[in-house]
Amino acid sequence: MQANLREHIEKIIPVTDEEFDFISSHFTSRKFKKHQFIIQEGDAVQYSYFVISGLLKLVYTDASAKQHIVSFAMEDWWESDFYAFYTKTKATMSLECLEDTEVLCCSLEDYKKLCDGLQKMERFFLEKATFGFLGSQRRILSWLTSNSKERYEQLLKQYPMLMQRVPKSLIASYLGVSRETLSRLSS
Amino acid sequence: MQANLREHIEKIIPVTDEEFDFISSHFTSRKFKKHQFIIQEGDAVQYSYFVISGLLKLVYTDASAKQHIVSFAMEDWWESDFYAFYTKTKATMSLECLEDTEVLCCSLEDYKKLCDGLQKMERFFLEKATFGFLGSQRRILSWLTSNSKERYEQLLKQYPMLMQRVPKSLIASYLGVSRETLSRLSS
């Protein structure tokens, strides 16, 4: 199971067996069932999660109780209410399992110890944060420049696996369109 | 002028005079006039820019020649077509001066040398990338959950200085609303 994490890290930086032992000592494993909440709005956010298997949705619920999908996460993705995680504030979003899910959890303290103890992990996290930022910027750009049909097609092209596993109603929420509009787009 | 950079870095990590000499040797200074382009679409993107003084707009032009403001940058902000910068691909956006502007330029090679040569700079850039990502995520959330009036008010609250310096037509483009809608919102 930790093998997934090693493979994921080694896409960016090679690590020795000894280094990987050090890395994995900063993670703990947890399993959740479909529909279980990993983070609930208002909770302290103790961990950043690396997904070993399963599927998650990060959800923001607005003042009128409408749910908005901020992101999905599946195998090899990192997920959390990152703002709350990094600033040690309460969660403003919830993280819920759409399938039975297994994650590796890393606390902020362990994240810092890991960066302090092994410089190449700081390089690894810098690369992940940079490309996370670039991904968000691309999504903003697609909101500014594309209509819902184009956004749907971009998503389908970029994450075909995701589209097979996520219910249509949630894809609609992620794209900010109604379920009916999505049915028209995907037919 | 480099003093701005030092002050900016020391908000996150303290540096000695010797360390700052090493840091500043990786930057070169350039001045641009209002309306000048720092990056044009199709260019190689050689630098990431730290703004000493002035104001920039990062613009994406869509297939129908409509301009979309991706972001603004003013004093103490970093700006570039970051995707093109990190992946060494051609610019898909342009970066233009809205005021006379002075920047410090750092190439990808110098950025890497800086991270390799001084671990605390890697920590600094990790922090900037992380909070850059969080800022983008907040903007996505505001697209999903807020109407144009709310987005306008959030921007006004978050960046009052920016709103005073940027023409209304560009604020409208950044918010994805028409100039007429913005006039109604801001009256």
Side-chain angles (χ1 to χ4, degrees):
Chain A
M1 183 200 60
Q2 296 263 10
N4 303 41
L5 179 62
R6 180 162 184 172
E7 201 181 315
H8 174 71
I9 291 169
E10 290 204 314
K11 280 178 190 156
I12 296 175
I13 46 158
V15 289
T16 65
D17 289 348
E18 202 180 356
E19 285 169 342
F20 188 69
D21 286 345
F22 176 75
I23 294 167
S24 62
S25 73
H26 294 79
F27 288 84
T28 51
S29 165
R30 281 197 67 185
K31 290 180 182 184
F32 295 89
K33 290 280 175 202
K34 185 174 175 173
H35 300 310
Q36 242 187 308
F37 281 83
I38 298 181
I39 298 171
Q40 297 210 53
E41 197 193 317
D43 282 357
V45 178
Q46 293 189 293
Y47 300 105
S48 174
Y49 300 93
F50 175 74
V51 182
I52 296 291
S53 64
L55 181 62
L56 305 171
K57 65 169 180 176
L58 185 67
V59 173
Y60 179 83
T61 306
D62 70 20
S64 64
K66 190 178 168 195
Q67 293 204 339
H68 304 270
I69 306 277
V70 180
S71 55
F72 297 106
M74 53 184 184
E75 289 77 16
D76 279 3
W77 291 15
W78 296 80
E79 194 58 279
S80 191
D81 179 336
F82 286 113
Y83 183 82
F85 173 72
Y86 285 114
T87 60
K88 297 194 168 207
T89 52
K90 301 285 181 194
T92 60
M93 299 189 257
S94 66
L95 183 59
E96 188 184 343
C97 300
L98 296 173
E99 299 174 359
D100 289 356
T101 297
E102 185 165 9
V103 292
L104 293 177
C105 315
C106 186
S107 70
L108 190 59
E109 287 62 39
D110 276 324
Y111 166 78
K112 286 178 178 167
K113 278 186 204 160
L114 195 47
C115 289
D116 287 338
L118 190 61
Q119 187 177 358
K120 57 172 75 172
M121 282 308 287
E122 197 154 54
R123 174 70 45 97
F124 169 79
F125 286 122
L126 175 56
E127 181 115 355
K128 296 308 288 180
T130 301
F131 282 83
F133 167 73
L134 295 175
S136 304
Q137 206 177 48
R138 249 198 322 275
R139 187 162 168 213
I140 290 168
L141 209 56
S142 86
W143 272 92
L144 285 169
T145 63
S146 310
N147 60 34
S148 50
K149 182 171 175 54
E150 289 161 342
R151 292 208 301 279
Y152 174 76
E153 283 164 0
Q154 285 163 14
L155 192 64
L156 192 61
K157 195 176 157 191
Q158 204 175 356
Y159 304 113
M161 279 298 292
L162 188 69
M163 302 295 266
Q164 287 172 25
R165 288 163 66 180
V166 174
K168 283 280 162 58
S169 58
L170 299 180
I171 297 286
S173 166
Y174 179 85
L175 293 171
V177 299
S178 71
R179 179 71 182 81
E180 293 67 34
T181 303
L182 187 73
S183 293
R184 219 172 46 243
L185 297 178
S186 59
S187 62
Chain B
M1 182 199 61
Q2 297 262 11
N4 302 42
L5 179 62
R6 181 162 184 171
E7 201 180 313
H8 174 71
I9 291 169
E10 290 205 314
K11 280 178 192 157
I12 297 174
I13 47 158
V15 290
T16 66
D17 289 348
E18 203 181 356
E19 284 169 342
F20 188 70
D21 286 345
F22 175 75
I23 293 167
S24 64
S25 72
H26 294 77
F27 288 85
T28 51
S29 164
R30 281 197 66 184
K31 290 180 181 183
F32 295 88
K33 289 280 173 201
K34 184 174 174 173
H35 300 312
Q36 241 186 309
F37 282 84
I38 298 182
I39 298 171
Q40 297 211 52
E41 197 193 317
D43 282 356
V45 178
Q46 292 188 295
Y47 300 106
S48 175
Y49 300 94
F50 175 73
V51 182
I52 296 292
S53 63
L55 182 61
L56 305 171
K57 64 170 180 178
L58 185 67
V59 173
Y60 179 82
T61 307
D62 70 19
S64 64
K66 190 178 169 196
Q67 293 204 339
H68 305 270
I69 307 276
V70 180
S71 55
F72 297 105
M74 52 184 186
E75 289 78 16
D76 279 3
W77 291 15
W78 296 80
E79 194 58 278
S80 190
D81 179 336
F82 285 113
Y83 182 81
F85 174 73
Y86 286 114
T87 60
K88 297 195 167 205
T89 51
K90 301 285 181 193
T92 59
M93 300 188 259
S94 66
L95 183 60
E96 188 184 343
C97 300
L98 296 174
E99 299 175 358
D100 290 355
T101 297
E102 186 165 7
V103 291
L104 292 178
C105 316
C106 186
S107 69
L108 190 59
E109 287 63 39
D110 277 324
Y111 165 80
K112 286 178 179 168
K113 278 185 204 159
L114 196 47
C115 289
D116 287 338
L118 189 60
Q119 187 177 358
K120 57 172 73 170
M121 281 308 287
E122 197 155 53
R123 174 71 45 99
F124 169 78
F125 286 122
L126 175 56
E127 181 114 354
K128 297 307 290 181
T130 301
F131 282 84
F133 168 73
L134 295 175
S136 303
Q137 206 178 46
R138 249 198 322 275
R139 187 162 167 212
I140 290 169
L141 209 55
S142 85
W143 272 93
L144 285 170
T145 62
S146 309
N147 60 33
S148 48
K149 183 171 175 55
E150 290 161 341
R151 291 206 303 278
Y152 174 77
E153 283 163 0
Q154 284 164 13
L155 193 63
L156 192 62
K157 195 175 158 192
Q158 203 174 357
Y159 305 113
M161 279 300 291
L162 187 71
M163 302 295 265
Q164 287 172 25
R165 288 163 66 180
V166 174
K168 283 279 162 59
S169 58
L170 300 181
I171 297 285
S173 166
Y174 179 85
L175 293 172
V177 300
S178 70
R179 179 71 182 81
E180 293 68 36
T181 303
L182 187 72
S183 293
R184 219 172 47 241
L185 298 178
S186 59
S187 61

